Amino acid sequence: MRAQSPPAETPEVREILKRYREIWAVNYARALISWDMETYMPEAASRERGEVRAELSKMVQRLMTHPEFVSLVESARPANDFERGVVRVLKRDIEYYQKLPPEFVEEEARVTTEAFKAWEKAKEKSDFESFAPHLERVFDLQRRKAEYLGYEDHPYDALLDRYEEGLTVRDCERIFSVAGELSDLFKKVRERYPERHPLEDEGYDRRDVERLNRHVLTLLGFDFSRGRVDVSAHPFTQEVGLYDVRITTWYHGRDFRRSLLAAVHEFGHAAYEMNVDESYWATPVQGGVSYGVHESQSRFWENVVARSRAYVETLYWDMRAVLPFLSRYSPEEVYEYFTLVRPELIRVEADEVHYPLHVYLRYRIEKMVMEEAVGVGELPQLWGDMMEELVGVRPEKDSEGVLQDVHWSLGYVGYFPTYAIGSFLAAQVARALGRVEERVRARDFSGLMAWLRERVHRWGSVYPPRELIRRATGEDLNPERFLEYLREKYLA
Ligand code: MG
């Protein structure tokens, strides 16, 4: 263990951190349990596991809201940025646990467990009717949750803040004001791309792509002594501890780009967690600060780095050495394959140009749901209309429309906008960093990482997202940077 002691100066904060160890340890166990659930847990264990998770969640709530702990946090007078971060993060968590009645938390857990199961079946059969009553209950709970948590202008603000500290509907309206331009942009871009790229149909041996992923992750700087790469139904990153960050990817047997880019995406998430200042170890500011900032790191590596011409040209021979079929394709063709732009029905299949439009659609619907401006029964129709307006395609089945995402079944209302923030912020970070293509061409990935570590990663949750973004890039979140990035990449 190389961790240094936390930079706490005041005795109250030192006491808080001592007590926090218990919460930290339970959260560590919860993280490992979650990871296992999505990777290797035997099927029959799911109910038993659910019980364990519920007990551990309650344990954290109990520890967080313990009167002595609460009064310590409330009376603390933080003396430096680290201490202010600790107190800010804890106050947010404490408030959250205090405002939600335990019966509500239990009800939400029960309703979403049922809704998740119903969603899985409904999606499989593309049967929205069977899911609708569950969704009705979930949305009703989210509206009640907003009332418990409180808000100033809009009930949706209460939920947005959970995923992105301080984010409001007003911010989102500003952020998504680029949607119209985005929509126009891809209409120009799309004529340049084939309906289907032959590399999408090239089959591969899974061991080859595993080898390629490992090679690329090593080049980018993934520390295998502090992490693992596994396989799951949907790629994800689970931070267990500062010295244990796990990522997954997937293998489909063809279209190797999907596996490689998923691994690189998750690498970006993992790097953020691994690079937090070691002196923050086991404190409330040890983790990444928000979903949006996190997603900016994954998208930086996935889109800005791995989907760049420099990357494809520089790694062409590395890829070809592992995947013999690439000898039939030029670097230019591989680059085209990495940067295909095409309207898609499914968000997770969307290219980087379309992606934020998929998110915008969900944002608009969630906002209407929170305003009770739309009934659950109207959602499939509304989804189709918006999809046609924004992306230019219309789903024929609900499984490819309103039923495609897991989020709502789990009660994650307010989560989606962070995906767009991630895309936009990645471009903004790239601009602040400068000369990214040049550095990629020189394989100077450690140089890129050093900048990200210094400006973003090392701070963990010490600064609220808005402040971190300003410190890192010199400006507030500015979606114009994303448009600039796309224009340069796809229209130049
Ligand atoms: Mg991600």
Side-chain angles (χ1 to χ4, degrees), residues 285-336:
V285 296
Q286 184 197 305
V289 72
S290 72
Y291 285 72
V293 176
H294 236 296
E295 199 64 15
S296 76
Q297 298 310 296
S298 55
R299 282 176 200 271
F300 175 82
W301 289 99
E302 180 197 349
N303 292 340
V304 180
V305 174
R307 287 185 210 267
S308 69
R309 189 180 295 275
Y311 174 90
V312 171
E313 287 176 4
T314 309
L315 273 95
Y316 175 75
W317 289 99
D318 299 62
M319 294 193 276
R320 201 172 138 168
V322 181
L323 303 171
F325 59 76
L326 284 178
S327 62
R328 287 184 273 114
Y329 299 89
S330 67
E332 189 52 34
E333 285 167 320
V334 177
Y335 176 62
E336 189 179 73

Side-chain angles (χ1 to χ4, degrees), residues 235-237 265-266 269 291 294-296 298-299 302 355 415 419:
F236 72 98
T237 297
H265 177 99
E266 301 308 331
H269 282 300
Y291 285 72
H294 236 296
E295 199 64 15
S296 76
S298 55
R299 282 176 200 271
E302 180 197 349
Y355 193 89
Y415 187 128
Y419 290 133

Side-chain angles (χ1 to χ4, degrees), residues 38-269:
E38 290 186 64
T39 49
Y40 297 119
M41 182 182 80
E43 206 186 308
S46 77
R47 268 190 68 184
E48 179 179 66
R49 186 65 58 95
E51 291 301 315
V52 171
R53 291 179 79 214
E55 289 303 324
L56 292 175
S57 307
K58 276 196 267 179
M59 200 183 281
V60 170
Q61 179 164 21
R62 207 162 51 232
L63 290 167
M64 275 284 186
T65 55
H66 190 287
E68 278 171 41
F69 188 66
V70 172
S71 78
L72 261 174
V73 172
E74 273 169 1
S75 62
R77 290 180 190 286
N80 54 39
D81 285 1
F82 165 77
E83 295 191 352
R84 273 185 286 278
V86 166
V87 171
R88 186 189 95 257
V89 168
L90 287 177
K91 276 188 174 165
R92 271 172 64 76
D93 283 345
I94 289 171
E95 216 178 88
Y96 180 77
Y97 285 121
Q98 282 179 333
K99 282 180 171 172
L100 296 180
E103 313 82 67
F104 177 87
V105 175
E106 268 196 67
E107 189 185 347
E108 192 184 26
R110 213 172 34 244
V111 167
T112 53
T113 304
E114 289 302 309
F116 173 70
K117 274 188 276 175
W119 169 78
E120 279 187 313
K121 285 200 200 102
K123 186 182 174 184
E124 208 183 295
K125 297 190 216 134
S126 194
D127 171 21
F128 182 73
E129 294 293 298
S130 68
F131 180 55
H134 294 275
L135 191 56
E136 193 95 58
R137 282 193 283 277
V138 171
F139 283 161
D140 183 55
L141 277 167
Q142 297 309 307
R143 284 187 289 259
R144 275 167 59 203
K145 190 180 204 168
E147 296 306 319
Y148 284 128
L149 295 175
Y151 52 87
E152 274 176 30
D153 297 324
H154 197 286
Y156 194 17
D157 293 350
L159 305 183
L160 290 169
D161 175 71
R162 283 310 301 163
Y163 302 99
E164 194 68 20
E165 187 176 345
L167 186 70
T168 63
V169 167
R170 200 181 307 169
D171 297 324
C172 288
E173 294 294 320
R174 182 181 66 83
I175 292 166
F176 285 117
S177 64
V178 295
E181 254 177 282
L182 256 182
S183 212
D184 292 343
L185 183 76
F186 83 72
K187 279 168 195 143
K188 279 185 220 156
V189 171
R190 89 198 246 196
E191 287 140 32
R192 300 174 32 203
Y193 290 89
E195 271 301 298
R196 196 163 178 84
H197 197 287
L199 273 166
E200 291 177 85
D201 297 310
E202 287 286 2
Y204 61 73
D205 184 329
R206 180 171 145 176
R207 279 163 308 182
D208 292 340
V209 176
E210 276 175 351
R211 207 146 58 89
L212 175 63
N213 288 347
R214 201 176 168 91
H215 172 68
V216 169
L217 291 175
T218 305
L219 273 180
L220 296 184
F222 186 77
D223 183 350
F224 282 91
S225 75
R226 289 166 63 184
R228 291 180 54 92
V229 183
D230 292 272
V231 181
S232 63
H234 281 279
F236 72 98
T237 297
Q238 179 68 62
E239 172 248 359
V240 179
L242 188 52
Y243 303 95
D244 185 350
V245 182
R246 304 176 181 208
I247 65 174
T248 68
T249 186
W250 51 10
Y251 297 92
H252 305 92
R254 57 176 190 86
D255 197 2
F256 78 95
R257 171 192 63 171
R258 293 181 74 191
S259 178
L260 175 66
L261 292 175
V264 172
H265 177 99
E266 301 308 331
F267 160 80
H269 282 300

